Amino acid sequence: MHEHGLSLEAIYQARRRIADEAVRTPLVRSMALSTRFDADIRLKLETCQPTGAFKLRGAANMLAALIEARGREALAAGVVTASTGNHGRAVAYAAARLEVPAVICLSRLVPTNKVAAIEALGAEVRRIGASQDEAFAEVERLVRERGMILIPPFDDPRVVAGQGTIGLELMEDCPDLDRVIVGLSGGGLLGGIGAAVKAIRPACRVTGVSLTRGAAMWESLKAGHPVAVEEVESLADSLGGGIGCDNRCTFALVRKVMDDHVQVSERAIAEAMVELLENEKQLVEGAAAVGLAAMQEHGLDVRGQRVALILSGNAVSLETLDRARVMAGY
């Protein structure tokens, strides 16, 4: 194993497994942001994935790894997960490609546009409770009673390795990267990217960005162990949800690979969403805008640095975009 708990070999294996499912996404230089921050600012466009978000990498890797290890018949009863939306869509997509039944359990906080996208892929959607943790109770029942296979949204090494393939691409496209700024919720994205980047270029700084309210990983890191928090509505709904009080993988990994950690306000997220659309022509959800939000709200000093912002997904409704525009004063 790699010193940070996830081997580089596992991430390379993930890349091989998902080659036909997930795409290698562009890393594009933003002239406007580079000029404004006196730095080389790159945008990693995970919005270009077939499902519109990075989550496809982890879901596809875990499904492929299960089939590799146990055969296709292991998935005969189907797969199940709980999600804030993007992971559910990724599981539904990957399962449909394999002709495997899928049930996606979502809380009432998941926006209707994300629910519709999952249903369009042929998965069964169940709306359960007011948090991802409550939705997970239904997942556990289906695993227990119907023998379905859980595809966790983040807390599994195979899922994290899939997300880590982003880190490989960053290092290949910008080998002298100084800093990567990543949205942080359950820790699968940051943990995977951080493990890959630190293994290849230890000097590269990994910055995590959390919400100011309902940020389970922030509170857990502060407490020194996983804790539960109340989930609240946010423009960055993908960053909601708990990390699981029995977290086995991502809590420890995030602690090891993350160099610094900031929280961003709803207004800062709104302003970043609008700016990315106006100036970069990138339509992104709130969780994808938090890197820019952190740079603007906290005045992060990146002068002279090569910096990558992870634009993690594009599942934003017009209603949410309008709310962001109003909040940002447009």
Side-chain angles (χ1 to χ4, degrees):
M1 292 294 282
H2 177 254
E3 64 173 306
H4 299 301
L6 181 68
S7 72
L8 194 57
E9 182 187 0
I11 299 172
Y12 277 110
Q13 286 173 346
R15 175 148 78 176
R16 173 183 55 77
R17 290 192 193 105
I18 68 175
D20 293 334
E21 301 293 330
V23 301
R24 184 190 181 103
T25 57
L27 182 67
V28 299
R29 189 168 191 264
S30 165
M31 292 297 290
L33 293 176
S34 296
T35 301
R36 174 143 68 94
F37 289 100
D38 191 19
D40 180 355
I41 309 294
R42 315 280 183 98
L43 307 177
K44 181 62 169 164
L45 304 183
E46 284 300 293
T47 49
C48 294
Q49 292 295 350
T51 57
F54 75 94
K55 288 283 193 177
L56 181 59
R57 296 175 184 262
N61 184 51
M62 182 159 180
L63 281 165
L66 283 167
I67 291 171
E68 209 173 87
R70 295 158 57 180
R72 189 175 286 269
E73 60 277 6
L75 302 180
V79 295
V80 62
T81 196
S83 168
T84 51
N86 288 335
H87 175 67
R89 188 174 180 181
V91 170
Y93 178 90
R97 298 260 294 180
L98 293 167
E99 299 182 338
V100 170
V103 176
I104 314 298
C105 300
L106 307 172
S107 85
R108 290 192 298 271
L109 289 180
V110 175
T112 54
N113 67 301
K114 292 189 175 185
V115 178
I118 292 168
E119 289 176 332
L121 291 167
E124 179 189 341
V125 171
R126 298 192 180 186
R127 304 298 295 271
I128 311 286
S131 72
Q132 184 169 279
D133 288 343
E134 288 181 30
F136 250 109
E138 177 68 2
V139 171
E140 288 164 354
R141 189 186 71 77
L142 291 169
V143 169
R144 191 172 59 246
E145 295 179 9
R146 285 172 43 179
M148 300 188 87
I149 300 285
L150 167 63
I151 310 296
F154 52 86
D155 195 28
D156 185 285
R158 293 160 292 190
V159 172
V160 180
Q163 324 307 22
T165 59
I166 298 170
L168 298 182
E169 293 171 18
L170 289 174
M171 290 290 91
E172 289 163 357
D173 291 346
C174 187
D176 49 1
L177 191 67
D178 295 304
R179 188 173 197 161
V180 56
I181 306 179
V182 192
L184 177 59
S185 177
L189 180 62
L190 185 144
I193 290 175
V197 165
K198 291 290 188 182
I200 296 167
R201 180 170 161 77
C204 183
R205 195 165 187 81
V206 177
T207 299
V209 188
S210 292
L211 303 175
T212 51
R213 298 183 305 140
M217 186 64 81
W218 177 279
E219 297 300 336
S220 297
L221 291 168
K222 201 163 68 175
H225 58 85
V227 298
V229 299
E230 184 183 352
E231 208 170 317
V232 297
E233 206 172 331
S234 170
L235 288 170
D237 52 88
S238 294
L239 295 187
I243 68 166
C245 289
D246 58 347
N247 187 288
R248 301 181 312 279
C249 171
T250 56
F251 176 70
L253 183 59
V254 166
R255 278 215 289 198
K256 287 174 179 169
V257 301
M258 184 170 67
D259 295 291
D260 56 341
H261 192 185
V262 298
Q263 291 176 296
V264 288
S265 66
E266 290 295 302
R267 183 181 173 92
I269 296 168
E271 290 171 349
M273 287 173 72
V274 172
E275 177 162 348
L276 286 165
L277 181 57
E278 285 272 311
N279 298 333
E280 306 295 334
K281 305 309 173 196
Q282 296 294 332
L283 176 64
V284 299
E285 58 190 274
V290 296
L292 178 56
M295 289 175 67
Q296 295 183 155
E297 187 167 34
H298 294 280
L300 299 182
D301 185 3
V302 295
R303 284 171 298 176
Q305 296 180 21
R306 290 163 292 272
V307 181
L309 304 181
I310 309 300
L311 302 197
S312 52
N314 62 12
V316 59
S317 67
L318 289 175
E319 180 189 355
T320 303
L321 194 60
D322 281 343
R323 201 149 48 90
R325 288 178 65 247
V326 170
M327 203 178 289
Y330 279 79

